[in-house]
Amino acid sequence: MSIAYISDIHGNATALEAVLEDIKQQNIDQIVVLGDLCFRGPEPKKSLDLIRKLDAPVIKGNADAWVTRGIRIGEVPEKVIKMMREEQEWTCAQLTDDDMSYLRELPEQVTESIGDKKVYGFHATPDSLFEVVKPDSSDEDLRKAIMEKEEADIYLYGHIHTPYVRHIDGKTVANLGSVGLPFDEDPRASYLIVNEEGPEIRKVSYDIDQAVQKLYDHDYPQADLVANVYRTGKL
Protein backbone atom coordinates (compact mmCIF):
# COMPACT_ATOMS: atom_id res chain seq x y z
CA MET A 1 0.00 0.00 0.00
CA SER A 2 1.39 3.39 -1.04
CA ILE A 3 -0.28 6.78 -0.68
CA ALA A 4 0.82 10.03 -2.32
CA TYR A 5 0.17 13.08 -0.15
CA ILE A 6 0.11 16.45 -1.91
CA SER A 7 -0.67 19.96 -0.66
CA ASP A 8 -0.21 23.68 -1.22
CA ILE A 9 -0.96 23.73 -4.94
CA HIS A 10 -1.87 27.43 -4.77
CA GLY A 11 -3.39 27.65 -8.22
CA ASN A 12 -0.25 26.42 -10.00
CA ALA A 13 -1.84 23.90 -12.34
CA THR A 14 1.39 23.50 -14.34
CA ALA A 15 3.20 22.16 -11.28
CA LEU A 16 0.18 20.08 -10.25
CA GLU A 17 -0.02 18.35 -13.63
CA ALA A 18 3.68 17.47 -13.42
CA VAL A 19 3.21 16.01 -9.93
CA LEU A 20 0.16 13.99 -10.97
CA GLU A 21 2.13 12.60 -13.92
CA ASP A 22 4.98 11.64 -11.59
CA ILE A 23 2.52 9.96 -9.23
CA LYS A 24 1.29 7.81 -12.12
CA GLN A 25 4.80 6.36 -12.44
CA GLN A 26 5.13 5.47 -8.74
CA ASN A 27 2.68 2.57 -8.34
CA ILE A 28 0.48 4.60 -5.99
CA ASP A 29 -2.76 3.19 -4.57
CA GLN A 30 -4.29 6.46 -3.43
CA ILE A 31 -3.81 10.23 -3.37
CA VAL A 32 -4.63 12.45 -0.37
CA VAL A 33 -4.68 16.25 -0.55
CA LEU A 34 -3.86 18.38 2.52
CA GLY A 35 -5.25 21.74 1.44
CA ASP A 36 -4.44 25.13 -0.12
CA LEU A 37 -5.76 24.44 -3.58
CA CYS A 38 -6.48 27.72 -5.36
CA PHE A 39 -5.25 30.94 -3.78
CA ARG A 40 -2.09 32.75 -5.01
CA GLY A 41 -1.62 31.30 -8.48
CA PRO A 42 -2.75 31.89 -12.08
CA GLU A 43 -5.09 28.90 -12.53
CA PRO A 44 -7.28 28.43 -9.45
CA LYS A 45 -10.19 26.94 -11.38
CA LYS A 46 -8.09 24.46 -13.35
CA SER A 47 -6.20 23.43 -10.22
CA LEU A 48 -9.41 22.81 -8.32
CA ASP A 49 -10.93 20.86 -11.21
CA LEU A 50 -7.85 18.62 -11.39
CA ILE A 51 -8.10 17.92 -7.67
CA ARG A 52 -11.82 17.19 -7.77
CA LYS A 53 -11.37 14.74 -10.65
CA LEU A 54 -9.02 12.65 -8.51
CA ASP A 55 -11.92 11.47 -6.32
CA ALA A 56 -9.43 11.63 -3.43
CA PRO A 57 -9.73 12.65 0.22
CA VAL A 58 -9.19 16.42 0.40
CA ILE A 59 -8.97 18.63 3.48
CA LYS A 60 -9.08 22.39 3.99
CA GLY A 61 -6.08 24.69 4.26
CA ASN A 62 -5.86 28.26 5.48
CA ALA A 63 -5.84 29.57 1.90
CA ASP A 64 -9.05 27.65 1.17
CA ALA A 65 -10.64 29.36 4.16
CA TRP A 66 -9.38 32.71 2.87
CA VAL A 67 -11.03 32.12 -0.49
CA THR A 68 -14.43 31.40 1.02
CA ARG A 69 -14.60 33.86 3.94
CA GLY A 70 -11.88 36.44 3.28
CA ILE A 71 -8.61 37.35 4.98
CA ARG A 72 -9.11 38.66 8.50
CA ILE A 73 -7.07 41.27 10.31
CA GLY A 74 -4.35 39.58 12.34
CA GLU A 75 -4.01 36.57 10.03
CA VAL A 76 -1.32 38.19 7.88
CA PRO A 77 1.04 41.15 8.44
CA GLU A 78 -0.81 44.45 8.23
CA LYS A 79 1.47 45.72 5.45
CA VAL A 80 0.37 42.96 3.03
CA ILE A 81 -3.32 42.56 3.85
CA LYS A 82 -4.52 44.96 1.11
CA MET A 83 -2.40 43.17 -1.49
CA MET A 84 -3.57 39.73 -0.37
CA ARG A 85 -7.21 40.78 -0.36
CA GLU A 86 -6.80 41.84 -4.00
CA GLU A 87 -5.44 38.37 -4.75
CA GLN A 88 -8.35 36.79 -2.88
CA GLU A 89 -10.90 38.79 -4.85
CA TRP A 90 -9.23 37.86 -8.13
CA THR A 91 -9.22 34.17 -7.15
CA CYS A 92 -12.90 34.20 -6.17
CA ALA A 93 -13.81 35.76 -9.52
CA GLN A 94 -12.36 32.70 -11.29
CA LEU A 95 -14.45 30.18 -9.31
CA THR A 96 -18.09 29.11 -9.52
CA ASP A 97 -20.61 29.00 -6.69
CA ASP A 98 -20.21 25.22 -6.68
CA ASP A 99 -16.44 25.58 -6.33
CA MET A 100 -16.88 27.93 -3.38
CA SER A 101 -19.32 25.55 -1.71
CA TYR A 102 -16.89 22.66 -2.21
CA LEU A 103 -14.04 24.59 -0.56
CA ARG A 104 -16.27 25.79 2.27
CA GLU A 105 -17.37 22.27 3.19
CA LEU A 106 -13.97 20.57 3.20
CA PRO A 107 -13.05 18.73 6.45
CA GLU A 108 -9.91 19.68 8.38
CA GLN A 109 -8.30 16.30 9.14
CA VAL A 110 -7.89 12.97 7.39
CA THR A 111 -6.82 9.55 8.69
CA GLU A 112 -5.56 6.67 6.55
CA SER A 113 -4.06 3.26 7.30
CA ILE A 114 -0.97 1.78 5.66
CA GLY A 115 -0.50 -1.75 6.86
CA ASP A 116 -0.66 -1.53 10.64
CA LYS A 117 0.34 2.16 10.67
CA LYS A 118 -2.12 4.99 11.26
CA VAL A 119 -1.39 8.14 9.23
CA TYR A 120 -2.94 11.37 10.51
CA GLY A 121 -3.01 14.34 8.16
CA PHE A 122 -3.96 18.00 8.63
CA HIS A 123 -2.98 21.30 7.04
CA ALA A 124 -1.03 23.22 9.73
CA THR A 125 -1.77 21.60 13.11
CA PRO A 126 -4.69 19.45 14.31
CA ASP A 127 -6.20 22.53 15.99
CA SER A 128 -5.34 25.32 13.54
CA LEU A 129 -5.22 26.08 9.84
CA PHE A 130 -2.77 28.91 10.50
CA GLU A 131 -0.21 27.91 13.15
CA VAL A 132 3.36 27.67 11.85
CA VAL A 133 5.38 24.64 12.99
CA LYS A 134 8.89 24.95 11.61
CA PRO A 135 11.24 22.11 10.59
CA ASP A 136 13.73 23.07 13.32
CA SER A 137 11.15 23.10 16.12
CA SER A 138 12.23 21.22 19.23
CA ASP A 139 10.94 17.70 19.82
CA GLU A 140 8.84 19.04 22.68
CA ASP A 141 7.27 21.73 20.53
CA LEU A 142 6.48 19.18 17.84
CA ARG A 143 4.87 16.90 20.41
CA LYS A 144 2.67 19.72 21.73
CA ALA A 145 1.69 21.20 18.37
CA ILE A 146 1.39 18.06 16.24
CA MET A 147 1.23 14.83 18.23
CA GLU A 148 -0.93 15.30 21.32
CA LYS A 149 -4.46 15.46 19.91
CA GLU A 150 -4.55 12.15 18.06
CA GLU A 151 -2.67 8.88 18.53
CA ALA A 152 -0.96 7.93 15.26
CA ASP A 153 2.23 6.46 13.85
CA ILE A 154 2.81 9.09 11.18
CA TYR A 155 1.79 12.77 11.33
CA LEU A 156 1.70 14.73 8.06
CA TYR A 157 1.05 18.39 7.33
CA GLY A 158 1.55 21.13 4.74
CA HIS A 159 1.29 24.92 5.23
CA ILE A 160 4.98 25.82 5.70
CA HIS A 161 6.01 24.84 2.13
CA THR A 162 9.22 23.28 3.47
CA PRO A 163 9.53 19.48 3.33
CA TYR A 164 11.22 17.48 6.08
CA VAL A 165 10.97 14.16 7.94
CA ARG A 166 11.59 13.84 11.70
CA HIS A 167 11.45 10.82 14.02
CA ILE A 168 10.31 11.30 17.63
CA ASP A 169 9.49 8.62 20.22
CA GLY A 170 9.27 5.94 17.54
CA LYS A 171 6.81 8.03 15.51
CA THR A 172 7.26 10.15 12.38
CA VAL A 173 6.42 13.79 11.72
CA ALA A 174 6.77 15.02 8.15
CA ASN A 175 5.95 18.02 6.02
CA LEU A 176 4.98 17.59 2.39
CA GLY A 177 6.49 20.79 1.07
CA SER A 178 4.51 22.56 -1.64
CA VAL A 179 3.40 21.47 -5.09
CA GLY A 180 2.97 24.97 -6.43
CA LEU A 181 4.76 27.52 -4.22
CA PRO A 182 7.89 26.10 -2.53
CA PHE A 183 9.74 28.07 0.16
CA ASP A 184 12.76 25.78 0.67
CA GLU A 185 14.97 27.41 -2.00
CA ASP A 186 14.28 24.49 -4.35
CA PRO A 187 11.85 25.56 -7.09
CA ARG A 188 10.81 22.02 -7.93
CA ALA A 189 7.36 20.79 -6.89
CA SER A 190 7.35 18.71 -3.71
CA TYR A 191 5.13 15.94 -2.40
CA LEU A 192 5.34 12.87 -0.15
CA ILE A 193 4.90 9.16 -0.72
CA VAL A 194 4.06 7.03 2.32
CA ASN A 195 4.32 3.24 2.33
CA GLU A 196 4.97 0.65 5.02
CA GLU A 197 8.60 1.78 5.21
CA GLY A 198 7.55 5.35 6.03
CA PRO A 199 7.47 8.73 4.24
CA GLU A 200 9.68 9.68 1.29
CA ILE A 201 9.91 13.22 -0.08
CA ARG A 202 9.76 13.49 -3.86
CA LYS A 203 10.80 16.49 -5.94
CA VAL A 204 9.43 17.04 -9.43
CA SER A 205 10.78 19.41 -12.07
CA TYR A 206 8.20 21.24 -14.17
CA ASP A 207 8.05 24.01 -16.77
CA ILE A 208 8.52 27.06 -14.53
CA ASP A 209 8.72 29.44 -17.49
CA GLN A 210 5.27 28.27 -18.57
CA ALA A 211 3.86 28.79 -15.08
CA VAL A 212 5.38 32.28 -14.92
CA GLN A 213 3.94 33.19 -18.33
CA LYS A 214 0.48 32.14 -17.15
CA LEU A 215 0.71 34.64 -14.28
CA TYR A 216 1.02 37.46 -16.81
CA ASP A 217 -1.36 35.98 -19.38
CA HIS A 218 -4.06 35.77 -16.71
CA ASP A 219 -3.29 39.23 -15.26
CA TYR A 220 -2.61 37.86 -11.80
CA PRO A 221 -2.54 40.80 -9.34
CA GLN A 222 0.88 39.96 -7.82
CA ALA A 223 2.51 38.34 -10.83
CA ASP A 224 6.02 39.64 -10.13
CA LEU A 225 6.01 38.41 -6.52
CA VAL A 226 4.71 34.93 -7.37
CA ALA A 227 6.97 34.62 -10.42
CA ASN A 228 9.96 35.23 -8.18
CA VAL A 229 8.85 32.43 -5.84
CA TYR A 230 8.43 30.07 -8.81
CA ARG A 231 11.94 30.81 -10.00
CA THR A 232 13.79 30.87 -6.66
CA GLY A 233 11.79 28.62 -4.36
CA LYS A 234 11.67 31.27 -1.65
CA LEU A 235 9.30 34.04 -0.57
Side-chain angles (χ1 to χ4, degrees):
M1 178 71 172
S2 294
I3 301 178
Y5 284 83
I6 66 175
S7 74
D8 297 277
I9 294 105
H10 289 284
N12 187 345
T14 306
L16 177 58
E17 287 177 318
V19 165
L20 294 178
E21 185 59 37
D22 189 75
I23 288 172
K24 287 181 183 178
Q25 313 304 318
Q26 305 305 316
N27 194 29
I28 295 298
D29 298 293
Q30 185 177 337
I31 297 174
V32 177
V33 187
L34 300 189
D36 280 8
L37 311 180
C38 304
F39 177 77
R40 188 158 270 191
E43 296 185 290
K45 173 65 174 171
K46 182 176 181 180
S47 299
L48 182 56
D49 288 346
L50 287 168
I51 292 297
R52 295 182 72 172
K53 286 176 184 176
L54 296 175
D55 192 27
V58 182
I59 64 170
K60 184 182 296 184
N62 64 295
D64 306 312
W66 281 342
V67 169
T68 59
R69 52 83 159 159
I71 301 170
R72 297 171 181 167
I73 292 172
E75 291 178 342
V76 300
E78 185 177 350
K79 65 182 179 180
V80 301
I81 193 167
K82 182 177 183 292
M83 174 189 81
M84 293 183 69
R85 283 175 171 171
E86 290 174 355
E87 293 178 86
Q88 186 263 354
E89 290 172 4
W90 183 92
T91 301
C92 290
Q94 317 305 312
L95 302 175
T96 66
D97 289 345
D98 181 64
D99 294 331
M100 297 292 278
S101 178
Y102 173 83
L103 293 173
R104 194 176 293 112
E105 295 171 8
L106 288 173
E108 295 188 10
Q109 291 109 33
V110 60
T111 301
E112 301 291 337
S113 295
I114 298 178
D116 61 355
K117 291 184 171 65
K118 179 179 177 180
V119 185
Y120 182 40
F122 38 88
H123 182 68
T125 73
D127 297 312
S128 171
L129 297 177
F130 296 90
E131 185 176 350
V132 173
V133 181
K134 296 180 179 180
D136 58 356
S137 298
S138 68
D139 286 358
E140 184 59 28
D141 286 344
L142 281 178
R143 288 189 194 96
K144 289 180 179 179
I146 299 289
M147 304 172 72
E148 287 188 348
K149 183 170 183 177
E150 186 90 10
E151 184 66 29
D153 300 287
I154 300 171
Y155 299 83
L156 302 180
Y157 70 110
H159 191 50
I160 62 171
H161 299 210
T162 305
Y164 74 89
V165 178
R166 293 263 300 271
H167 301 286
I168 302 171
D169 302 332
K171 301 178 184 295
T172 303
V173 177
N175 189 274
L176 283 53
S178 173
V179 168
L181 205 64
F183 293 167
D184 62 340
E185 300 187 10
D186 182 341
R188 293 177 296 172
S190 177
Y191 76 100
L192 206 70
I193 292 176
V194 184
N195 55 35
E196 293 190 22
E197 296 178 358
E200 172 196 354
I201 295 165
R202 284 194 62 81
K203 295 282 194 161
V204 180
S205 297
Y206 72 98
D207 191 337
I208 291 173
D209 289 339
Q210 182 184 94
V212 167
Q213 187 59 48
K214 286 179 179 179
L215 288 165
Y216 296 100
D217 290 346
H218 293 235
D219 293 322
Y220 190 74
Q222 296 297 329
D224 289 347
L225 183 152
V226 179
N228 185 63
V229 178
Y230 287 177
R231 291 188 173 113
T232 65
K234 59 183 180 180
L235 184 63

